[in-house]
Amino acid sequence: LNYFTSVGIVWVNKVVSNIGFRWTISLTCLHFLFTYLGLEVMASRGMFVRKKLPIDQVVYISLAFCGFVGFNNLSLQYNPVGVYQLMKVLTTPVITFLQFVLYGTTVPRWELISLLPICVGVAIATVSHLEINSVGLFWGSLGVLSTSMYQIWVKEEQKRLVCTPQQLLYYQAPLSTVMLLGIAGATDNLFT
């Protein structure tokens, strides 16, 4: 379900972008708002229990959430879907690298070897892809880096706050919506 939902969102975003919707940050706000509404429905149906979390403990992860979704939406706006998806594939190797650099986390040799074809494949496809451009590559690189950092950080925050992914996202989504609404009007015109 997650796979099909993710692919569907990417394709809908690209279609909306192709027909002239250029307000990427506003689109990100809509994503966050619908995420919150979906979580509200899930909580009301008993799919997870709401947990009181201090807002000041969720602010920084919410900023990171804004960055990773915003940068990836900008990557999708400036890249063909194939390049966007190739960039996203790099997230796992980048997470592995960052966890090693930041936390000293090591992975078994066979896992590292399994990441090699991914990196080589992305490099070959990216270099030989005719539609790659520097603006798209810039946003895509920020998207990969911010997604990787967010994934690492959210795992750590869930441990620290003793909460489930849904409980944390329940606070992140509305807080991130408000944060981005504050800048959407000023920044959306920069990216059109």
Side-chain angles (χ1 to χ4, degrees), residues 51-62 157 160-161 168 170-172 174-176 179:
K51 179 179 180 179
K52 180 93 170 119
L53 298 176
I55 295 295
D56 64 325
Q57 298 292 307
V58 185
V59 168
Y60 294 112
I61 195 79
S62 297
E157 289 298 292
R160 188 177 68 78
L161 295 170
L168 183 56
Y170 184 78
Y171 279 88
Q172 278 179 239
L175 189 55
S176 297
M179 289 174 172

Side-chain angles (χ1 to χ4, degrees), residues 111-132:
E111 285 184 28
L112 287 174
I113 291 170
S114 71
L115 294 175
L116 191 59
I118 293 170
C119 295
V120 170
V122 169
I124 290 170
T126 302
V127 169
S128 64
H129 200 286
L130 298 176
E131 297 180 58
I132 195 143

Side-chain angles (χ1 to χ4, degrees), residues 36-57:
Y36 172 72
L37 294 174
L39 287 166
E40 191 62 56
V41 169
M42 289 173 64
S44 69
R45 297 204 180 262
M47 297 174 85
F48 76 95
V49 176
R50 293 177 191 94
K51 179 179 180 179
K52 180 93 170 119
L53 298 176
I55 295 295
D56 64 325
Q57 298 292 307

Side-chain angles (χ1 to χ4, degrees), residues 57-115:
Q57 298 292 307
V58 185
V59 168
Y60 294 112
I61 195 79
S62 297
L63 283 169
F65 189 46
C66 291
F68 114 74
V69 176
F71 291 146
N72 282 302
N73 282 346
L74 286 165
S75 173
L76 184 59
Q77 179 177 334
Y78 288 98
N79 285 313
V81 172
V83 173
Y84 168 82
Q85 295 290 29
L86 279 172
M87 297 296 286
K88 296 284 284 182
V89 167
L90 284 176
T91 301
T92 301
V94 171
I95 287 172
T96 304
F97 175 75
L98 289 173
Q99 284 181 317
F100 176 74
V101 169
L102 299 174
Y103 298 103
T105 304
T106 58
V107 297
R109 185 181 315 260
W110 66 269
E111 285 184 28
L112 287 174
I113 291 170
S114 71
L115 294 175

Side-chain angles (χ1 to χ4, degrees), residues 14 22 24-25 28 66-80 83-88 90-91 132-148 183 187-192:
K14 193 61 177 179
R22 297 283 183 222
T24 305
I25 303 302
T28 304
C66 291
F68 114 74
V69 176
F71 291 146
N72 282 302
N73 282 346
L74 286 165
S75 173
L76 184 59
Q77 179 177 334
Y78 288 98
N79 285 313
V83 173
Y84 168 82
Q85 295 290 29
L86 279 172
M87 297 296 286
K88 296 284 284 182
L90 284 176
T91 301
I132 195 143
N133 63 75
S134 58
V135 174
L137 187 61
F138 173 75
W139 291 121
S141 298
L142 282 178
V144 169
L145 183 60
S146 61
T147 299
S148 300
I183 65 165
T187 57
D188 273 341
N189 291 329
L190 295 174
F191 306 118
T192 57

